[in-house]
Amino acid sequence: MAPHIFITGITGYIGGQTLASIISKHPEYNITGLVRKDKQKQQLLAKHPSIEIIIGDLDSNEILIEQSKKADIVVHTADSDHLGAITSLLTGLSSGKKGVYLHLSGAASAFDHSNGYGKLSPKIWDDIKDLATITTFEEPVFHVKSDQLVLSLGRELSIKTALLVPPVVYGNSDSIKDRSITLPLLVDAAKARGKMFQVGEAKHSMSAVHVKDLADVFVYFVEEALKSEGSKVEWGDNGVYYVEGREYVFADVVDAIAKEMCRRGVIETAEVDVLSEEEALGVHPWALILFATNMRTRASRLRGLGWLPKQPGVLEAVSGLFV
């Protein structure tokens, strides 16, 4: 019998690509997805007519529990910090097939401006060397409550869990939502002011992963979860995996985007304004976090499993921001 996969967040940038990638590689899987509106359901069925779609949201506890009970694997790519949804999905798994739970988190916990905004921090968070710290971060670090709930409740209910933790995600998605957040916001802000900008020296560094590489990791974990034996993946307290392809100095990213915008006539010059912190906040309220803070991670555990990114890097994919 074909395995049954329940996926949340399938209208989203990452979740939609994950859905498309799973279907592409495993059309034999029975897949059920969750959407909020009938319009979204019809859009997705036009792209993926073989799947089943349930209308509900992350507060629809009975629906989440019922669908998880039926599932061999739950892939949660919707709001990673919705504690009620996490609880319902894991509760459903525990009262059903005792399946596996895959959770999309994020590496915002690695944000670091300890040397100042726009300046490089030497700390690189490694998911082998730093695992004990990564799993015991304290508030106000991003995603602490949700990540730790996945680990603790999975342990309590005897459900295998894995946290997949990407940094900046880029590239064009095959979802009905095809834009990411960080780099498109930078483009929009530069377009609005008529010129590209950076905060200070912009020597800080960001790790990044292409959305299709991230989706391929989800496919890999689904495949590993379905193995009766022989899987090399670790679950539970050790099942925390950074997912990154490469690291970039932000000034290089800004320069590449500015040149592409100028080439396309979006802005008149490829020159980059150097802004103060106060000036940057006037451009966008999240500017210091998104455009001036280090996020340095290493996916040592994935690479130890033989995984390598296949998609173009950020600098090679800049033109995709304007498709």
Side-chain angles (χ1 to χ4, degrees):
M1 182 179 295
H4 187 177
I5 317 296
F6 178 50
I7 311 180
T8 68
I10 58 174
T11 61
Y13 171 68
I14 295 173
Q17 181 61 60
T18 298
L19 172 66
S21 296
I22 292 174
I23 291 172
S24 176
K25 190 165 184 184
H26 292 287
E28 75 278 12
Y29 287 176
N30 293 321
I31 297 176
T32 301
L34 181 75
V35 301
R36 295 189 302 274
K37 302 174 183 177
D38 186 68
K39 179 181 178 181
Q40 296 170 322
K41 176 178 179 177
Q42 299 310 319
Q43 286 178 298
L44 281 164
L45 287 176
K47 289 174 68 72
H48 307 297
S50 65
I51 69 173
E52 179 185 5
I53 296 182
I54 305 296
I55 294 179
D57 58 33
L58 296 185
D59 292 314
S60 303
N61 296 325
E62 291 183 4
I63 291 175
L64 298 181
I65 291 171
E66 184 61 28
Q67 293 303 320
S68 298
K69 285 172 67 174
K70 301 175 184 177
D72 296 290
I73 300 171
V74 169
V75 181
H76 183 41
T77 71
D79 181 359
S80 63
D81 294 314
H82 195 296
L83 304 184
I86 295 169
T87 301
S88 294
L89 293 168
L90 284 166
T91 298
L93 282 167
S94 71
S95 57
K97 297 182 178 180
K98 292 284 185 179
V100 176
Y101 178 80
L102 305 181
H103 182 89
L104 174 65
S105 183
S109 55
F111 280 148
D112 184 355
H113 54 84
S114 56
N115 286 340
Y117 290 109
K119 297 183 182 298
L120 182 66
S121 167
K123 176 61 181 175
I124 300 174
W125 290 95
D126 184 289
D127 58 9
I128 293 178
K129 297 176 183 177
D130 298 309
L131 181 63
T133 303
I134 292 167
T135 55
T136 56
F137 281 130
E138 297 181 355
E139 291 189 274
V141 171
F142 290 94
H143 308 311
V144 163
K145 284 187 176 181
S146 52
D147 286 357
Q148 293 183 8
L149 178 61
V150 171
L151 297 177
S152 62
L153 194 56
R155 191 186 317 120
E156 177 185 332
L157 299 176
S158 299
I159 296 297
K160 289 182 179 179
T161 63
L163 292 168
L164 303 185
V165 189
V168 173
V169 185
Y170 68 94
N172 297 108
S173 172
D174 292 329
S175 174
I176 59 176
K177 179 184 178 183
D178 61 359
R179 277 169 54 104
S180 60
I181 297 175
T182 302
L183 298 184
L185 280 178
L186 179 63
V187 169
D188 290 346
K191 183 178 179 181
R193 69 188 301 273
K195 194 175 181 182
M196 182 52 76
F197 66 95
Q198 64 186 47
V199 182
E201 298 177 348
K203 296 298 185 185
H204 61 289
S205 187
M206 71 171 199
S207 297
V209 64
H210 195 288
V211 66
K212 292 185 178 180
D213 282 327
L214 175 56
D216 285 346
V217 172
F218 271 102
V219 174
Y220 171 76
F221 271 76
V222 167
E223 293 170 339
E224 291 295 300
L226 291 171
K227 289 182 177 179
S228 57
E229 58 183 22
S231 174
K232 297 179 181 179
V233 167
E234 293 186 89
W235 308 98
D237 289 340
N238 292 325
V240 181
Y241 294 81
Y242 282 140
V243 188
E244 53 79 28
R246 301 166 184 83
E247 184 176 296
Y248 303 87
V249 175
F250 203 75
D252 295 338
V253 177
V254 166
D255 180 66
I257 295 176
K259 288 176 179 175
E260 183 69 15
M261 292 181 74
C262 182
R263 187 182 73 81
R264 291 173 176 267
V266 179
I267 52 179
E268 293 183 357
T269 176
E271 292 180 0
V272 178
D273 284 340
V274 177
L275 303 186
S276 68
E277 295 173 18
E278 183 177 358
E279 289 170 332
L281 289 173
V283 173
H284 195 284
W286 301 345
L288 297 183
I289 292 295
L290 294 179
F291 311 141
T293 299
N294 294 276
M295 183 192 281
R296 308 184 72 188
T297 62
R298 287 293 179 275
S300 294
R301 312 191 78 208
L302 271 181
R303 286 181 169 80
L305 294 169
W307 177 83
L308 291 172
K310 299 177 182 178
Q311 299 296 325
V314 168
L315 302 183
E316 294 76 29
V318 161
S319 61
L321 290 166
F322 305 93
V323 173

